[in-house]
Amino acid sequence: MTPNISKLENLNLSWNYLISKSSDIKYLLWLQESNRIEILIKNKVFSILANALILEEISKKFDRYDIVDVEDKDRIKALFSKIKLLKVDSTQTTLSRIERIEKLWVKKIKWIESVVSNLRKVKTSEEIELIRKSQEINLKAFEVVLDKIRLWMTEFEIAKLIKIAHLKLWATWESFEPIVAFSDWWSCPHHTNSNERKLVKWDQILFDFWCIYNWYCSDMTRVVFTTKPNPEQKQFYDLLKYTNEECMKFWKIWMEYKKLHQKANQILWENSKFFTHNLWHGIGIDIHETPLWMRDLSTKIEENDVFTIEPGLYFPEKFWFRYENIIVVKNGKLVNILGEIEDKDYALGL
C-alpha cells in the first residue's frame, strides 16, 4: 500500500495539529507500529514523533520529514513550546499526556473531529480490494461454521468456531468479538455472547461477524434458522433483503446519506418503528468510520465510497432480524463488494 501522508499535506492546514489515532497513522504512513507514532503539524511543517525502536525504519521511508525521538526531551520541548493553540483529534492521545503538554508548553488545547477521517472516506482501488478480500474470508468462514453447529451448543462456542475459521482462512484477526444471539436475546442489538444459554430446536440465530485482512475490516449480518422458518419469520427477513436491494437501486452518487435512511423507512412503512438500529456506517481500517450515522447525515455519496447497508427490525421479546452487506460505489452505482452472491435462506435442519 502507498502511504497517504501527501494527501494530508495537500490540505495545506494553517493551524497546529497533533494526530495520534492509531488507524489514522496507519493510513497516513502505512506502518505496523502505528500506536507508537504521532504526527505534529506546526507552522505547516510535518514532524513524525516516534519511539526509538522504529526511528530507523521511519527515517528510511520518510526522510524528507522531520523525524523526532519522543524520548528526546529537548527536541520535544522545542517542538511544542510557544504554540498558542494546538488542535488534537483523538481520544487515543491520553488526557494525562495532553494535560502535561498544555501545562509545560502549549497555551491552549482544542479537541476536534479527525481531519484524516474525511480523507479516508473515499477508498483507493487497493483499499477496496483488501476490504473485498476480507469480506470474502468472512463469508467463507461463516459457511464453514454453519456445517458445525449442533443443538445444545452455546453462543460462546459458536463464536469461537467463527474465530478459528477466520484464522484458518488467513484473516489477521477479528475486528470485534462476533455476535451470536439466540432467539430470546434478540431485543439487544449489541448482545454479549453467553456461555450458558444453549441452542434448542426452533431457535433463530443472529450472526454479526467480521474479520481483518491486512488491516482492513469486513462486516456481515445474517439470520439463521435451526428449522424451516415459519411464514412470519420469512416475511420479515425477506422484507429486510428487499429493503437492502431497493436502497442500493435508489441511492445515487452525490445524494446525501440521510436520504437512504428515509428510503428504508418508506419501504418498511408500518414496521419502521421497529427499525431502531443505524442503517449504515463506513468501513475500512476501522470497523466504523466515515460516513457515520448521525454525524454524517448530510455527507454526500462519492465514487469509491465503501459502507454497509444493514436494515433491521427489532420486536421486543419476539424477533430480531438484521441483514447486512458491504457496498461500494462503482461507476455511480451501489454494488455489493462481493459482486453477485447467492442470497441464501439459512435453515440448518437441526
Side-chain angles (χ1 to χ4, degrees):
M1 284 287 291
T2 305
N4 292 291
I5 192 169
S6 60
K7 293 182 181 180
L8 186 60
E9 288 182 287
N10 292 339
L11 295 179
N12 198 27
L13 299 178
S14 60
W15 25 272
N16 302 316
Y17 185 38
L18 181 65
I19 302 168
S20 302
K21 186 176 180 181
S22 176
S23 57
D24 283 349
I25 298 295
K26 279 183 179 179
Y27 176 79
L28 294 171
L29 303 182
W30 204 248
L31 290 171
Q32 179 68 41
E33 299 292 339
S34 57
N35 60 330
R36 301 185 182 194
I37 304 170
E38 293 177 313
I39 297 174
L40 175 67
I41 306 171
K42 179 183 177 183
N43 299 328
K44 299 187 178 182
V45 175
F46 282 61
S47 297
I48 301 176
L49 286 56
N51 185 289
L53 295 173
I54 53 175
L55 278 179
E56 184 177 353
E57 179 184 1
I58 294 174
S59 298
K60 289 179 180 178
K61 291 184 176 181
F62 303 99
D63 56 354
R64 70 186 185 90
Y65 298 99
D66 180 31
I67 312 298
V68 181
D69 185 344
V70 292
E71 300 300 326
D72 188 335
K73 296 180 181 179
D74 291 335
R75 287 290 312 279
I76 295 296
K77 180 179 178 180
L79 274 176
F80 284 97
S81 62
K82 298 181 181 180
I83 294 179
K84 292 181 179 179
L85 175 64
L86 178 65
K87 296 184 179 182
V88 179
D89 73 356
S90 173
T91 54
Q92 292 190 19
T93 299
T94 63
L95 184 60
S96 60
R97 172 163 161 69
I98 290 299
E99 287 176 341
R100 183 170 179 271
I101 289 173
E102 189 171 22
K103 180 180 179 181
L104 294 179
W105 306 304
V106 176
K107 291 186 177 181
K108 185 178 180 181
I109 299 288
K110 183 177 181 180
W111 296 89
I112 63 170
E113 291 183 2
S114 170
V115 171
V116 182
S117 66
N118 292 323
L119 293 178
R120 291 166 54 182
K121 174 177 174 287
V122 176
K123 303 299 191 285
T124 65
S125 57
E126 291 175 289
E127 290 179 292
I128 291 170
E129 176 56 25
L130 289 174
I131 298 169
R132 189 204 64 78
K133 180 63 176 178
S134 183
Q135 186 77 326
E136 182 180 68
I137 291 171
N138 203 26
L139 179 58
K140 286 180 179 178
F142 172 61
E143 294 185 336
V144 165
V145 167
L146 290 183
D147 290 335
K148 299 182 178 181
I149 295 175
R150 300 291 182 267
L151 296 178
W152 305 110
M153 279 184 161
T154 66
E155 295 169 344
F156 186 84
E157 288 173 324
I158 295 173
K160 183 178 179 181
L161 290 177
I162 294 173
K163 294 164 76 172
I164 292 171
H166 278 148
L167 293 175
K168 284 185 175 180
L169 290 166
W170 298 100
T172 312
W173 200 244
E174 286 72 34
S175 311
F176 293 101
E177 185 77 11
I179 295 173
V180 179
F182 297 164
S183 298
D184 51 357
W185 293 105
W186 283 32
S187 60
C188 177
H190 293 102
H191 168 67
T192 301
N193 299 329
S194 169
N195 203 24
E196 297 180 2
R197 169 69 159 85
K198 296 183 182 296
L199 183 67
V200 297
K201 200 164 188 176
W202 314 114
D203 266 342
Q204 298 175 197
I205 314 171
L206 186 139
F207 288 86
D208 191 348
F209 51 103
W210 36 67
C211 65
I212 299 173
Y213 176 77
N214 281 5
W215 297 356
Y216 279 81
C217 299
S218 55
D219 199 2
M220 184 179 290
T221 305
R222 293 290 188 268
V223 173
V224 172
F225 305 95
T226 53
T227 60
K228 184 179 179 180
N230 64 43
E232 188 179 27
Q233 290 171 315
K234 184 167 177 56
Q235 173 194 344
F236 286 127
Y237 197 38
D238 284 349
L239 175 60
L240 293 184
K241 293 179 181 179
Y242 176 75
T243 302
N244 193 296
E245 182 180 339
E246 288 301 303
C247 283
M248 288 174 61
K249 292 177 182 178
F250 167 77
W251 225 357
K252 306 297 181 185
I253 199 164
W254 298 113
M255 184 182 288
E256 292 180 341
Y257 272 85
K258 64 184 176 185
K259 293 188 182 296
L260 179 67
H261 194 84
Q262 293 167 357
K263 180 64 176 178
N265 278 325
Q266 289 173 8
I267 297 169
L268 295 172
W269 190 237
E270 62 185 10
N271 294 301
S272 62
K273 63 184 176 182
F274 299 109
F275 177 28
T276 58
H277 189 272
N278 303 344
L279 181 65
W280 80 82
H281 60 81
I283 189 167
I285 295 175
D286 290 325
I287 187 72
H288 296 131
E289 58 181 54
T290 301
L292 293 172
W293 173 251
M294 294 304 293
R295 192 191 76 182
D296 299 312
L297 289 175
S298 297
T299 299
K300 294 182 179 179
I301 306 165
E302 298 177 74
E303 186 77 4
N304 289 345
D305 276 5
V306 180
F307 53 92
T308 66
I309 296 181
E310 46 185 299
L313 290 171
Y314 308 92
F315 302 96
E317 300 180 8
K318 185 178 180 181
F319 294 131
W320 177 27
F321 299 95
R322 187 159 75 240
Y323 183 79
E324 175 186 23
N325 288 318
I326 296 178
I327 307 304
V328 59
V329 183
K330 277 294 179 187
N331 300 318
K333 295 182 179 180
L334 275 62
V335 296
N336 190 318
I337 200 164
L338 291 180
E340 295 293 330
I341 59 173
E342 183 181 356
D343 195 8
K344 301 177 182 177
D345 283 329
Y346 294 102
L348 300 178
L350 300 179

